[in-house]
Amino acid sequence: MQDDRLDALRERFWEKYPLNQLNDTEWEALCDGCGVCCLVKFLDDDDPKFTEYTDVACKLLDCATGHCSNYTNRKQYVPDCIRLTADMVADMMWLPRHCAYKRLHLGQGLPHWHYLLAGQNRHDAQMAKVGVRGRCVSESGFDDDDIEERIIRWVKI
Ligand code: SF4
Ligand code: SF4
């Protein structure tokens, strides 16, 4: 996140306010940019613990950077891309365990390495362990049977 936007955040807002009282800038600031929610996954609606992630990513994800290649206009190309809101988090326990939205919903606080607590360098170092950058492939060219062969275990929920 750009420094001028960081300046607009209320001090330690993630501790003082519930998710549904954050402004847009604060809400966006919570995302660590791991890209895990952009991976194709198989969900069991009745039991999020049975979520199986693959290393196959949404066609808009840039697998080299781990970021959406067209975030602003993504809905034009991926209509079912989820815009996460505070009301939705309770039903999204398939998010990775480090995801700030999930953690705050569960009362766990930010992960200790999150850039809002630890600065960008430590944050970036942790991204090599939990993020998708450099270890996913685009869904373009894969069919459903191929994707089922790409289950991974490095996403912890
Ligand atoms: S899993 Fe959570 S922290 Fe990671 S990119 Fe998605 S919303 Fe952001
Ligand atoms: S459109 Fe962008 S943000 Fe949405 S799932 Fe795809 S890569 Fe992720």
Side-chain angles (χ1 to χ4, degrees), residues 37-38 58-61 67-69 71 74 78 81-82:
C37 56
C38 304
C58 169
K59 63 185 179 185
L60 275 196
L61 194 81
H67 297 142
C68 184
S69 60
Y71 190 75
R74 65 195 189 285
V78 182
C81 174
I82 295 171

Side-chain angles (χ1 to χ4, degrees), residues 36 98 123-133 135 154-156:
V36 169
H98 66 266
H123 182 106
D124 291 348
Q126 185 68 15
M127 275 300 106
K129 298 177 189 167
V130 301
V132 304
R133 176 181 173 180
R135 53 179 176 170
W154 48 262
V155 173
K156 309 297 182 192

